[in-house]
Amino acid sequence: MANKTALITGITGQDGAYLSKLLLDKGYRVVGSMRRTSGIGTWRLQDLQVLDEIEFTSMELTEDSNVRGVLEKIKPDEIYNLAAQSFVGDSFTQPIYTTQVTGIGALRLLEGVRTVVPTAKFYQASTSEMFGKVQQVPQSEKTAFYPRSPYGVAKLFAHWTVVNYREAYGLHCCSGILFNHESPLRGVEFLPRKVTLGMAKYALRGEGPLRVGNLEAKRDWGHARDYVDAMWRMLQTTPVMDFVVATGRTHTVRDFVEMAASACGISLDWQGTGHNEMAIDRATGNVVVSVDPAFYRPSEVDLLVGDPSLAKEVLDWSPTVRLEDLVSEMVEADMHRVSSNHVSGF
Ligand code: NAP
Ligand code: G4F
């Protein structure tokens, strides 16, 4: 039997890279769709040494005919919709664009699946951001949604569209409600990578201070490599349903900063409060981190912690990387990049 063909939208992102590697290792033909940009966006695929094994096609999620044309040309067996304007902070200043790409983009694809490749399996990248102002702790598949950003609202639209296309048209489509997942391939605008890169720059070059926003927000952080494995498992499982993917542990942004500092051999003392708070290097007295209200969000998601029991029971999926080890891996990668003057992702 010929190898299965997987179409990955958002292949140039963090998850796109790890998922490509996983599917190639399983013998899939992997086709990645990329939007037109002015630069070379394939550094993550190069990093994982999969670039030469992927076929690329051009697809902009805001273009109906482009989306449909790609499905007609590729005729995928499995579709992983990872493409999104995925940065919550920017969704407050670009709400309409975010909704077009992150919300209606998923609908465009599903309409394409329904009319062009109705037997294809479809994975949608849903998010714990949909829980927002959480109605239950921990959050599970049964927890009510209450999004707190234009991004969260757009993802919730996509999430319910998947449910509707499954029930109305019998499509094999499902969503993974993924909690925050990170790696050395994470974008530098997100808090974890911003912190590990910032700490590496401070440790090796004395650069700083690193300016951050809300230190008290809590997140359930796992490793992206584990989470793309859950995506694949979901599409191999019947009956088709949605799953929470999380570690079940939660930590504050402050904890993450301390862990990253410690991985660089730096001990921090916190001084001040609120907008005037800062972290001082105990050994030198230098300011390493300072709070900048510019990084606060108009409405924040204060606490995320997922209950991955259903994924464990049905998919036999469990996270394999502890946060402490994830932070060490990210710091080590950024120390290497900074020391060799090779910082990817800018
Ligand atoms: P990411 O690194 O930001 O990647 C997003 C991808 O979407 C990139 O390949 C980007 O292309 C592409 N894209 C953006 N706008 C597009 C457009 N208009 N048309 C076509 N492609 C477009 O995100 P990630 O961390 O890999 O996350 C993958 C998916 O999971 C996203 O949908 C995200 O919202 C969701 N998610 C992520 C997490 C997490 O913690 N990482 C948690 C839950 C859900 P460029 O390279 O050209 O920008
Ligand atoms: O790393 P973040 O930007 O991730 P956020 O907003 O939780 O969203 C990520 O995870 C979602 C899943 O829950 C995904 F759907 C989404 O696509 C994305 O991958 O921020 C984490 C926390 C927030 O509470 C934020 O307010 O860190 C806080 N924070 C504090 N200072 C900061 C900063 N976030 C960023 N990006 N930059 C700061 O300086």
mmCIF file of all heavy atoms in Angstrom, residues 10-16 35 37 44 59-61 82-86 97 101 125-127 151 155 178-182 186 190, ligand 1:
data_model
loop_
_atom_site.group_PDB
_atom_site.id
_atom_site.type_symbol
_atom_site.label_atom_id
_atom_site.label_comp_id
_atom_site.label_asym_id
_atom_site.label_seq_id
_atom_site.Cartn_x
_atom_site.Cartn_y
_atom_site.Cartn_z
ATOM 1 N N GLY A 10 0.771 25.444 8.368
ATOM 2 C CA GLY A 10 1.596 25.985 9.454
ATOM 3 C C GLY A 10 2.844 25.148 9.674
ATOM 4 O O GLY A 10 3.351 25.041 10.794
ATOM 5 N N ILE A 11 3.374 24.581 8.591
ATOM 6 C CA ILE A 11 4.533 23.676 8.727
ATOM 7 C C ILE A 11 5.787 24.415 9.195
ATOM 8 O O ILE A 11 6.694 23.806 9.770
ATOM 9 C CB ILE A 11 4.803 22.929 7.390
ATOM 10 C CG1 ILE A 11 5.733 21.735 7.645
ATOM 11 C CG2 ILE A 11 5.391 23.874 6.322
ATOM 12 C CD1 ILE A 11 5.595 20.621 6.677
ATOM 13 N N THR A 12 5.841 25.739 8.977
ATOM 14 C CA THR A 12 7.038 26.486 9.383
ATOM 15 C C THR A 12 7.035 26.838 10.874
ATOM 16 O O THR A 12 8.022 27.370 11.378
ATOM 17 C CB THR A 12 7.162 27.793 8.566
ATOM 18 O OG1 THR A 12 5.922 28.497 8.689
ATOM 19 C CG2 THR A 12 7.459 27.510 7.113
ATOM 20 N N GLY A 13 5.947 26.550 11.569
ATOM 21 C CA GLY A 13 5.889 26.870 12.998
ATOM 22 C C GLY A 13 6.535 25.794 13.854
ATOM 23 O O GLY A 13 7.011 24.770 13.347
ATOM 24 N N GLN A 14 6.539 26.028 15.153
ATOM 25 C CA GLN A 14 7.145 25.064 16.092
ATOM 26 C C GLN A 14 6.547 23.664 15.933
ATOM 27 O O GLN A 14 7.273 22.669 15.741
ATOM 28 C CB GLN A 14 6.922 25.533 17.533
ATOM 29 C CG GLN A 14 7.282 24.463 18.574
ATOM 30 C CD GLN A 14 6.888 24.819 19.989
ATOM 31 O OE1 GLN A 14 7.725 25.240 20.774
ATOM 32 N NE2 GLN A 14 5.617 24.657 20.337
ATOM 33 N N ASP A 15 5.222 23.562 16.009
ATOM 34 C CA ASP A 15 4.579 22.241 15.975
ATOM 35 C C ASP A 15 4.712 21.612 14.591
ATOM 36 O O ASP A 15 4.837 20.383 14.470
ATOM 37 C CB ASP A 15 3.096 22.347 16.357
ATOM 38 C CG ASP A 15 2.906 22.725 17.807
ATOM 39 O OD1 ASP A 15 3.909 23.011 18.495
ATOM 40 O OD2 ASP A 15 1.746 22.740 18.265
ATOM 41 N N GLY A 16 4.671 22.451 13.554
ATOM 42 C CA GLY A 16 4.815 21.938 12.194
ATOM 43 C C GLY A 16 6.123 21.188 12.031
ATOM 44 O O GLY A 16 6.181 20.131 11.384
ATOM 45 N N ARG A 35 2.708 30.074 3.627
ATOM 46 C CA ARG A 35 2.225 31.315 3.010
ATOM 47 C C ARG A 35 3.427 32.062 2.438
ATOM 48 O O ARG A 35 4.577 31.808 2.839
ATOM 49 C CB ARG A 35 1.497 32.176 4.032
ATOM 50 C CG ARG A 35 2.369 32.583 5.192
ATOM 51 C CD ARG A 35 1.666 33.547 6.098
ATOM 52 N NE ARG A 35 2.379 33.714 7.351
ATOM 53 C CZ ARG A 35 2.092 34.657 8.213
ATOM 54 N NH1 ARG A 35 1.117 35.510 7.964
ATOM 55 N NH2 ARG A 35 2.756 34.748 9.337
ATOM 56 N N THR A 37 6.072 34.782 2.245
ATOM 57 C CA THR A 37 6.699 35.796 3.111
ATOM 58 C C THR A 37 7.940 36.315 2.396
ATOM 59 O O THR A 37 8.374 35.742 1.400
ATOM 60 C CB THR A 37 7.140 35.219 4.472
ATOM 61 O OG1 THR A 37 8.060 34.161 4.238
ATOM 62 C CG2 THR A 37 5.980 34.714 5.295
ATOM 63 N N ARG A 44 13.339 26.011 11.363
ATOM 64 C CA ARG A 44 13.008 24.918 12.306
ATOM 65 C C ARG A 44 13.124 23.551 11.611
ATOM 66 O O ARG A 44 13.599 22.579 12.199
ATOM 67 C CB ARG A 44 11.589 25.097 12.839
ATOM 68 C CG ARG A 44 11.400 26.351 13.683
ATOM 69 C CD ARG A 44 9.968 26.433 14.187
ATOM 70 N NE ARG A 44 9.801 27.500 15.136
ATOM 71 C CZ ARG A 44 9.346 28.716 14.840
ATOM 72 N NH1 ARG A 44 9.015 29.024 13.602
ATOM 73 N NH2 ARG A 44 9.217 29.634 15.779
ATOM 74 N N MET A 59 0.119 28.127 0.385
ATOM 75 C CA MET A 59 -1.284 28.294 0.788
ATOM 76 C C MET A 59 -1.434 29.411 1.813
ATOM 77 O O MET A 59 -0.790 29.414 2.844
ATOM 78 C CB MET A 59 -1.871 27.011 1.368
ATOM 79 C CG MET A 59 -3.370 27.133 1.609
ATOM 80 S SD MET A 59 -4.140 25.544 1.931
ATOM 81 C CE MET A 59 -3.834 25.406 3.653
ATOM 82 N N GLU A 60 -2.330 30.340 1.477
ATOM 83 C CA GLU A 60 -2.681 31.443 2.377
ATOM 84 C C GLU A 60 -4.095 31.129 2.889
ATOM 85 O O GLU A 60 -5.035 31.007 2.115
ATOM 86 C CB GLU A 60 -2.620 32.759 1.586
ATOM 87 C CG GLU A 60 -3.283 33.950 2.242
ATOM 88 C CD GLU A 60 -2.741 34.247 3.631
ATOM 89 O OE1 GLU A 60 -1.556 34.527 3.784
ATOM 90 O OE2 GLU A 60 -3.551 34.190 4.585
ATOM 91 N N LEU A 61 -4.211 31.023 4.203
ATOM 92 C CA LEU A 61 -5.482 30.555 4.787
ATOM 93 C C LEU A 61 -6.640 31.529 4.612
ATOM 94 O O LEU A 61 -7.780 31.176 4.872
ATOM 95 C CB LEU A 61 -5.288 30.295 6.277
ATOM 96 C CG LEU A 61 -5.077 28.856 6.736
ATOM 97 C CD1 LEU A 61 -5.150 28.764 8.237
ATOM 98 C CD2 LEU A 61 -6.118 27.918 6.121
ATOM 99 N N LEU A 82 -2.475 23.453 11.580
ATOM 100 C CA LEU A 82 -1.690 24.127 12.617
ATOM 101 C C LEU A 82 -1.541 25.618 12.333
ATOM 102 O O LEU A 82 -1.066 26.364 13.198
ATOM 103 C CB LEU A 82 -0.298 23.488 12.715
ATOM 104 C CG LEU A 82 -0.236 21.963 12.843
ATOM 105 C CD1 LEU A 82 1.202 21.514 13.032
ATOM 106 C CD2 LEU A 82 -1.103 21.478 13.998
ATOM 107 N N ALA A 83 -1.891 26.058 11.152
ATOM 108 C CA ALA A 83 -1.669 27.465 10.794
ATOM 109 C C ALA A 83 -2.585 28.375 11.605
ATOM 110 O O ALA A 83 -3.770 28.086 11.768
ATOM 111 C CB ALA A 83 -1.916 27.671 9.299
ATOM 112 N N ALA A 84 -2.025 29.448 12.110
ATOM 113 C CA ALA A 84 -2.817 30.415 12.881
ATOM 114 C C ALA A 84 -1.987 31.659 13.145
ATOM 115 O O ALA A 84 -0.758 31.603 13.121
ATOM 116 C CB ALA A 84 -3.235 29.816 14.231
ATOM 117 N N GLN A 85 -2.677 32.777 13.399
ATOM 118 C CA GLN A 85 -2.035 33.904 14.069
ATOM 119 C C GLN A 85 -2.116 33.481 15.525
ATOM 120 O O GLN A 85 -3.152 33.593 16.168
ATOM 121 C CB GLN A 85 -2.793 35.198 13.784
ATOM 122 C CG GLN A 85 -2.059 36.467 14.203
ATOM 123 C CD GLN A 85 -1.674 36.515 15.680
ATOM 124 O OE1 GLN A 85 -0.564 36.082 16.062
ATOM 125 N NE2 GLN A 85 -2.551 37.012 16.518
ATOM 126 N N SER A 86 -1.031 32.966 16.069
ATOM 127 C CA SER A 86 -1.092 32.218 17.327
ATOM 128 C C SER A 86 -0.619 33.006 18.540
ATOM 129 O O SER A 86 -0.600 32.468 19.646
ATOM 130 C CB SER A 86 -0.241 30.943 17.200
ATOM 131 O OG SER A 86 1.123 31.290 17.187
ATOM 132 N N TYR A 97 -7.835 40.410 11.676
ATOM 133 C CA TYR A 97 -6.908 39.519 10.958
ATOM 134 C C TYR A 97 -6.821 38.164 11.678
ATOM 135 O O TYR A 97 -6.877 37.095 11.056
ATOM 136 C CB TYR A 97 -5.520 40.173 10.865
ATOM 137 C CG TYR A 97 -4.484 39.232 10.300
ATOM 138 C CD1 TYR A 97 -4.472 38.911 8.950
ATOM 139 C CD2 TYR A 97 -3.541 38.629 11.135
ATOM 140 C CE1 TYR A 97 -3.550 38.018 8.433
ATOM 141 C CE2 TYR A 97 -2.612 37.738 10.634
ATOM 142 C CZ TYR A 97 -2.628 37.436 9.278
ATOM 143 O OH TYR A 97 -1.713 36.538 8.785
ATOM 144 N N VAL A 101 -7.769 34.442 10.029
ATOM 145 C CA VAL A 101 -6.821 33.337 9.852
ATOM 146 C C VAL A 101 -7.140 32.193 10.814
ATOM 147 O O VAL A 101 -7.288 31.033 10.407
ATOM 148 C CB VAL A 101 -5.371 33.821 10.104
ATOM 149 C CG1 VAL A 101 -4.391 32.655 9.984
ATOM 150 C CG2 VAL A 101 -5.000 34.944 9.143
ATOM 151 N N ALA A 125 -6.038 22.474 15.593
ATOM 152 C CA ALA A 125 -5.218 22.876 16.741
ATOM 153 C C ALA A 125 -6.014 23.794 17.662
ATOM 154 O O ALA A 125 -5.909 25.018 17.609
ATOM 155 C CB ALA A 125 -3.949 23.574 16.250
ATOM 156 N N SER A 126 -6.838 23.203 18.518
ATOM 157 C CA SER A 126 -7.546 23.989 19.534
ATOM 158 C C SER A 126 -6.611 24.269 20.712
ATOM 159 O O SER A 126 -5.474 23.775 20.744
ATOM 160 C CB SER A 126 -8.802 23.251 20.003
ATOM 161 O OG SER A 126 -9.828 23.363 19.042
ATOM 162 N N THR A 127 -7.086 25.033 21.665
ATOM 163 C CA THR A 127 -6.169 25.564 22.675
ATOM 164 C C THR A 127 -6.807 25.747 24.034
ATOM 165 O O THR A 127 -8.003 26.052 24.147
ATOM 166 C CB THR A 127 -5.620 26.932 22.214
ATOM 167 O OG1 THR A 127 -5.001 27.592 23.326
ATOM 168 C CG2 THR A 127 -6.720 27.844 21.705
ATOM 169 N N TYR A 151 -7.916 36.017 20.092
ATOM 170 C CA TYR A 151 -7.357 34.725 19.671
ATOM 171 C C TYR A 151 -8.202 33.574 20.234
ATOM 172 O O TYR A 151 -8.579 32.644 19.510
ATOM 173 C CB TYR A 151 -5.903 34.623 20.143
ATOM 174 C CG TYR A 151 -5.313 33.235 20.042
ATOM 175 C CD1 TYR A 151 -4.826 32.732 18.843
ATOM 176 C CD2 TYR A 151 -5.218 32.421 21.176
ATOM 177 C CE1 TYR A 151 -4.272 31.454 18.763
ATOM 178 C CE2 TYR A 151 -4.664 31.148 21.114
ATOM 179 C CZ TYR A 151 -4.197 30.665 19.902
ATOM 180 O OH TYR A 151 -3.650 29.403 19.832
ATOM 181 N N LYS A 155 -10.359 30.849 18.110
ATOM 182 C CA LYS A 155 -10.105 29.406 18.224
ATOM 183 C C LYS A 155 -11.372 28.663 18.658
ATOM 184 O O LYS A 155 -11.599 27.522 18.270
ATOM 185 C CB LYS A 155 -8.973 29.154 19.235
ATOM 186 C CG LYS A 155 -7.576 29.379 18.674
ATOM 187 C CD LYS A 155 -7.137 28.241 17.757
ATOM 188 C CE LYS A 155 -5.688 28.377 17.329
ATOM 189 N NZ LYS A 155 -5.255 27.337 16.382
ATOM 190 N N LEU A 178 -4.924 21.754 23.266
ATOM 191 C CA LEU A 178 -3.558 21.658 23.769
ATOM 192 C C LEU A 178 -3.224 22.813 24.707
ATOM 193 O O LEU A 178 -3.514 23.974 24.405
ATOM 194 C CB LEU A 178 -2.567 21.610 22.593
ATOM 195 C CG LEU A 178 -2.245 20.196 22.079
ATOM 196 C CD1 LEU A 178 -3.502 19.413 21.716
ATOM 197 C CD2 LEU A 178 -1.286 20.245 20.914
ATOM 198 N N PHE A 179 -2.636 22.456 25.828
ATOM 199 C CA PHE A 179 -2.113 23.458 26.754
ATOM 200 C C PHE A 179 -0.732 23.888 26.245
ATOM 201 O O PHE A 179 -0.195 23.301 25.292
ATOM 202 C CB PHE A 179 -2.081 22.887 28.176
ATOM 203 C CG PHE A 179 -3.463 22.869 28.806
ATOM 204 C CD1 PHE A 179 -4.497 22.115 28.240
ATOM 205 C CD2 PHE A 179 -3.753 23.623 29.935
ATOM 206 C CE1 PHE A 179 -5.783 22.124 28.783
ATOM 207 C CE2 PHE A 179 -5.036 23.640 30.498
ATOM 208 C CZ PHE A 179 -6.047 22.889 29.924
ATOM 209 N N ASN A 180 -0.169 24.921 26.863
ATOM 210 C CA ASN A 180 1.084 25.506 26.354
ATOM 211 C C ASN A 180 2.163 24.445 26.192
ATOM 212 O O ASN A 180 2.401 23.667 27.119
ATOM 213 C CB ASN A 180 1.598 26.582 27.313
ATOM 214 C CG ASN A 180 0.633 27.735 27.470
ATOM 215 O OD1 ASN A 180 -0.561 27.529 27.711
ATOM 216 N ND2 ASN A 180 1.124 28.943 27.349
ATOM 217 N N HIS A 181 2.791 24.435 25.034
ATOM 218 C CA HIS A 181 3.919 23.532 24.827
ATOM 219 C C HIS A 181 5.058 24.285 24.150
ATOM 220 O O HIS A 181 4.837 25.115 23.275
ATOM 221 C CB HIS A 181 3.509 22.267 24.071
ATOM 222 C CG HIS A 181 2.639 22.511 22.889
ATOM 223 N ND1 HIS A 181 1.287 22.746 22.988
ATOM 224 C CD2 HIS A 181 2.929 22.555 21.576
ATOM 225 C CE1 HIS A 181 0.791 22.935 21.784
ATOM 226 N NE2 HIS A 181 1.778 22.835 20.904
ATOM 227 N N GLU A 182 6.229 23.967 24.576
ATOM 228 C CA GLU A 182 7.415 24.761 24.267
ATOM 229 C C GLU A 182 8.527 23.845 23.776
ATOM 230 O O GLU A 182 8.425 22.621 23.849
ATOM 231 C CB GLU A 182 7.879 25.494 25.541
ATOM 232 C CG GLU A 182 6.759 26.157 26.335
ATOM 233 C CD GLU A 182 6.089 27.313 25.609
ATOM 234 O OE1 GLU A 182 6.767 28.006 24.832
ATOM 235 O OE2 GLU A 182 4.867 27.527 25.811
ATOM 236 N N ARG A 186 10.588 27.145 19.761
ATOM 237 C CA ARG A 186 9.482 28.070 20.039
ATOM 238 C C ARG A 186 9.826 29.472 19.530
ATOM 239 O O ARG A 186 10.999 29.897 19.539
ATOM 240 C CB ARG A 186 9.276 28.120 21.559
ATOM 241 C CG ARG A 186 8.106 28.942 22.035
ATOM 242 C CD ARG A 186 6.790 28.445 21.522
ATOM 243 N NE ARG A 186 5.747 28.535 22.527
ATOM 244 C CZ ARG A 186 4.461 28.710 22.244
ATOM 245 N NH1 ARG A 186 4.065 28.829 20.993
ATOM 246 N NH2 ARG A 186 3.566 28.747 23.218
ATOM 247 N N PHE A 190 6.983 34.404 22.456
ATOM 248 C CA PHE A 190 6.286 33.737 23.554
ATOM 249 C C PHE A 190 7.163 33.754 24.813
ATOM 250 O O PHE A 190 8.397 33.689 24.720
ATOM 251 C CB PHE A 190 5.934 32.299 23.153
ATOM 252 C CG PHE A 190 5.030 32.238 21.959
ATOM 253 C CD1 PHE A 190 5.543 32.026 20.682
ATOM 254 C CD2 PHE A 190 3.658 32.446 22.083
ATOM 255 C CE1 PHE A 190 4.710 32.002 19.564
ATOM 256 C CE2 PHE A 190 2.816 32.420 20.972
ATOM 257 C CZ PHE A 190 3.349 32.202 19.706
HETATM 258 P P1 NAP B 1 3.484 29.022 15.451
HETATM 259 O O1 NAP B 1 4.887 28.612 15.717
HETATM 260 O O2 NAP B 1 3.072 30.427 15.679
HETATM 261 O O3 NAP B 1 3.163 28.632 13.911
HETATM 262 C C1 NAP B 1 2.027 29.137 13.260
HETATM 263 C C2 NAP B 1 2.088 28.744 11.800
HETATM 264 O O4 NAP B 1 0.956 29.306 11.106
HETATM 265 C C3 NAP B 1 3.332 29.248 11.039
HETATM 266 O O5 NAP B 1 3.762 28.260 10.136
HETATM 267 C C4 NAP B 1 2.774 30.442 10.274
HETATM 268 O O6 NAP B 1 3.512 30.759 9.111
HETATM 269 C C5 NAP B 1 1.401 29.920 9.903
HETATM 270 N N1 NAP B 1 0.487 30.990 9.493
HETATM 271 C C6 NAP B 1 0.209 32.117 10.176
HETATM 272 N N2 NAP B 1 -0.666 32.873 9.470
HETATM 273 C C7 NAP B 1 -0.947 32.196 8.327
HETATM 274 C C8 NAP B 1 -1.762 32.464 7.198
HETATM 275 N N3 NAP B 1 -2.454 33.586 7.110
HETATM 276 N N4 NAP B 1 -1.822 31.540 6.197
HETATM 277 C C9 NAP B 1 -1.097 30.403 6.278
HETATM 278 N N5 NAP B 1 -0.284 30.098 7.320
HETATM 279 C C10 NAP B 1 -0.215 30.988 8.336
HETATM 280 O O7 NAP B 1 2.489 28.098 16.278
HETATM 281 P P2 NAP B 1 2.759 26.692 17.030
HETATM 282 O O8 NAP B 1 3.245 26.969 18.405
HETATM 283 O O9 NAP B 1 3.493 25.791 16.122
HETATM 284 O O10 NAP B 1 1.261 26.181 17.199
HETATM 285 C C11 NAP B 1 0.627 25.416 16.176
HETATM 286 C C12 NAP B 1 -0.876 25.587 16.295
HETATM 287 O O11 NAP B 1 -1.298 25.146 17.578
HETATM 288 C C13 NAP B 1 -1.374 27.017 16.171
HETATM 289 O O12 NAP B 1 -2.628 26.981 15.517
HETATM 290 C C14 NAP B 1 -1.563 27.480 17.613
HETATM 291 O O13 NAP B 1 -2.535 28.490 17.685
HETATM 292 C C15 NAP B 1 -1.999 26.179 18.259
HETATM 293 N N6 NAP B 1 -1.672 26.016 19.682
HETATM 294 C C16 NAP B 1 -0.398 26.199 20.101
HETATM 295 C C17 NAP B 1 -0.085 25.971 21.434
HETATM 296 C C18 NAP B 1 1.336 26.140 21.957
HETATM 297 O O14 NAP B 1 1.498 26.224 23.173
HETATM 298 N N7 NAP B 1 2.333 26.153 21.079
HETATM 299 C C19 NAP B 1 -1.092 25.574 22.329
HETATM 300 C C20 NAP B 1 -2.373 25.377 21.840
HETATM 301 C C21 NAP B 1 -2.657 25.581 20.506
HETATM 302 P P3 NAP B 1 4.791 31.782 9.152
HETATM 303 O O15 NAP B 1 5.981 30.924 9.513
HETATM 304 O O16 NAP B 1 4.844 32.301 7.765
HETATM 305 O O17 NAP B 1 4.499 32.825 10.192
#
